[in-house]
Amino acid sequence: MIGKLRPVGNRVPAPLRKSSVGVFPWQRHFATEFTESGTDALAMAIALAVARSPRISEPEVIIPAYGCPDIVAAVLVSGAKPVLVDLVASTSFLMDQSQVIRSLSANTVAIVAPALLGCSERLDSLYDICRDRKLLLIEDSAQRFPPVSADYPWADAVVLSFGRGKPINLMGGGALLIRNECYDEARQVITSFPQSSTTTGLVWRIKRIAFNFLLARFPYFVLDKLPFMNIGGTRFRPRESVKRLDLPRELFFSGMASFFHRPLIYPLYERQLQDIEQLGWRKLAFNESDDEFERVQYPRIRYGLLAPNQSVRDRAERALNESGIGASRFYGKILPEIEGLEAISGRKGSFPAGREFASRLLTLPCHEDVRPADVELIAKILHDSSSPKDGADRR
Ligand SMILES: *Cc1c(COP(=O)(O)O)cnc(C)c1O
């Protein structure tokens, strides 16, 4: 049957009853403020960092050179300057911490530590860097749930996103978690942002049904063919305004409940791709910093692999998509190579590790509709694409 397995995105949950609202997993350490998006939450966290240092006229924020362009939008809308840092190696999504330290200046106000594909940054050592210098450490957990800081409260602020393709899909929204000790000074900054509201009334319910329908294989196949949709394309969208959101609590708790009840898909990949590293591929470690974080296994948004080189990655990506599997190169480029971001930079000009990482990364679907037969097919295609002979035959 004609159809395509979408690359990412879980179904939007039906809202629970008000009575099923519980406590947040981070309740002991953080206060919660809902926002219009993850970008808005990050912008508020940066606004807070800027407000804490009123004497700095040109505040700077450290971010990784490979990552989500929305991070740049959040830094810019808060009047700060992004300072890019390369990855520690071409096979790791982690920031090079010696470069982080060398990139600090008297104007630095914050470090943003994103969990790429849900893989955690080394928050413990970033915390050490931030503490003595009084920098705000922001855990950008838009791609991960629950955030590391819920259990190990290293970050001063944590960002969550409830957009499409994020761990909890509420068709938009985000949250800023602020460490309790910082909350009093943060309140003034946060309440200075306007608040919009959302309801789960009839319009929302109809939108949810339509949205979930479009995730299925045949509708997604059609959507993917429409050129103006540009599904999955990486674009920089500047942010003009930042807003809080009066998100119904029961909606968040429905999202959290559906997240925790979701089947784990990545063990299927682990089983099928056992020998893939012998072909020069590399699995992205979910957690390179400390196994302690990962005693509990949570659903992931995508399964990440590094191909032996760019041509194998590109070949595998094409073959998978031709076979109805939504595989993706993810951002595909380091931030300064994305249209509209040419002017941003770091203390050093180039980012060789990030650039190579971008050229080798392949992400595979990990949502609730991935079936064992899909993973078997994916494993077969990856094996076939890795052999040079097959590539020669195809051209
Ligand atoms: C998606 C994302 C954001 C922005 O979240 P939105 O809700 O889409 O605005 C920020 N940081 C990272 C790492 C993301 O993946």
Side-chain angles (χ1 to χ4, degrees):
M1 209 190 86
I2 298 176
K4 184 161 184 183
L5 186 66
R6 64 187 185 277
V8 70
N10 295 97
R11 278 193 288 277
V12 183
L16 296 167
R17 280 176 220 275
K18 282 215 165 55
S19 57
S20 31
V21 167
V23 295
F24 299 115
W26 47 82
Q27 190 97 349
R28 239 160 37 103
H29 307 291
F30 294 89
T32 307
E33 186 73 43
F34 290 114
T35 58
E36 272 212 342
S37 70
T39 310
D40 290 51
L42 186 54
M44 279 185 206
I46 293 165
L48 175 61
V50 171
R52 288 210 310 183
S53 317
R55 261 179 281 162
I56 296 178
S57 61
E58 292 179 336
E60 296 176 350
V61 177
I62 307 279
I63 68 172
Y66 178 80
C68 180
D70 294 333
I71 297 176
V72 180
V75 174
L76 294 178
V77 74
S78 307
K81 179 182 155 195
V83 174
L84 306 189
V85 166
D86 202 4
L87 305 182
V88 67
S90 60
T91 51
S92 166
F93 51 86
L94 300 170
M95 278 189 281
D96 178 345
Q97 291 194 353
S98 62
Q99 222 183 89
V100 169
I101 292 171
R102 275 181 279 132
S103 301
L104 299 172
S105 77
N107 292 334
T108 310
V109 296
I111 297 179
V112 177
L116 195 77
L117 304 177
C119 306
S120 52
E121 249 295 354
R122 293 172 290 183
L123 290 170
D124 43 359
S125 42
L126 290 171
Y127 170 83
D128 291 336
I129 295 174
C130 288
R131 184 187 44 197
D132 300 336
R133 301 171 174 91
K134 301 209 160 31
L135 307 176
L136 200 77
L137 177 58
I138 304 169
E139 178 185 358
D140 181 347
S141 196
Q143 297 180 21
R144 179 192 169 94
F145 195 85
V148 173
S149 296
D151 291 320
Y152 303 88
W154 278 305
D156 300 296
V158 180
V159 169
L160 302 177
S161 164
F162 309 130
R164 166 190 173 271
K166 308 295 170 151
I168 294 177
N169 177 7
L170 305 177
M171 299 188 291
L176 173 63
L177 321 182
I178 302 139
R179 196 203 269 275
N180 291 333
E181 301 93 274
C182 311
Y183 192 67
D184 281 340
E185 59 171 319
R187 236 176 97 89
Q188 231 185 348
V189 177
I190 289 167
T191 53
S192 71
F193 291 98
Q195 187 174 46
S196 62
S197 66
T198 179
T199 65
T200 51
L202 187 64
V203 174
W204 190 91
R205 283 162 203 260
I206 292 171
K207 199 173 146 196
R208 167 179 170 261
I209 290 169
F211 190 103
N212 286 347
F213 169 75
L214 292 173
L215 296 179
R217 293 186 196 223
F218 181 68
Y220 184 78
F221 172 82
V222 176
L223 270 189
D224 189 49
K225 286 265 182 273
L226 304 176
F228 55 85
M229 292 296 296
N230 185 29
I231 291 183
T234 300
R235 262 173 313 162
F236 169 62
R237 286 157 301 182
R239 195 87 192 159
E240 261 111 47
S241 66
V242 175
K243 287 193 185 127
R244 294 180 288 149
L245 179 67
D246 184 17
L247 186 91
R249 299 260 148 148
E250 61 274 20
L251 187 53
F252 168 77
F253 281 96
S254 326
M256 193 168 85
S258 78
F259 174 86
F260 285 124
H261 287 115
R262 201 173 289 160
L264 288 181
I265 300 298
Y266 69 87
L268 295 176
Y269 283 106
E270 300 283 322
R271 223 167 300 142
Q272 290 288 337
L273 299 178
Q274 264 170 19
D275 58 351
I276 196 86
E277 299 205 327
Q278 285 152 27
L279 297 171
W281 290 75
R282 218 182 139 108
K283 296 175 191 166
L284 273 196
F286 196 51
N287 173 41
E288 292 194 30
S289 45
D290 186 347
D291 284 336
E292 221 186 335
F293 301 163
E294 303 303 336
R295 273 173 310 193
V296 191
Q297 309 281 291
Y298 295 114
R300 305 186 194 174
I301 53 170
R302 300 169 186 250
Y303 190 79
L305 284 174
L306 290 171
N309 56 54
Q310 178 162 12
S311 68
V312 173
R313 193 274 308 270
D314 292 353
R315 199 190 308 152
E317 187 193 29
R318 206 176 321 118
L320 286 163
N321 279 280
E322 282 167 2
S323 305
I325 303 288
S328 160
R329 60 184 59 195
F330 213 38
Y331 303 126
K333 296 170 179 167
I334 53 170
L335 289 170
E337 290 176 355
I338 292 172
E339 198 183 326
L341 295 182
E342 297 84 355
I344 64 171
S345 65
R347 301 267 181 254
K348 289 205 333 193
S350 69
F351 306 98
R355 188 174 284 131
E356 191 186 329
F357 185 88
S359 74
R360 291 173 57 189
L361 182 65
L362 183 70
T363 75
L364 301 166
C366 229
H367 52 73
E368 66 267 77
D369 293 332
V370 177
R371 292 190 296 242
D374 296 317
V375 181
E376 263 172 58
L377 175 65
I378 290 168
K380 183 178 175 310
I381 294 173
L382 290 182
H383 280 95
D384 291 350
S385 314
S386 309
S387 87
K389 193 175 132 283
D390 176 72
D393 287 349
R394 278 164 176 267
R395 239 137 299 224

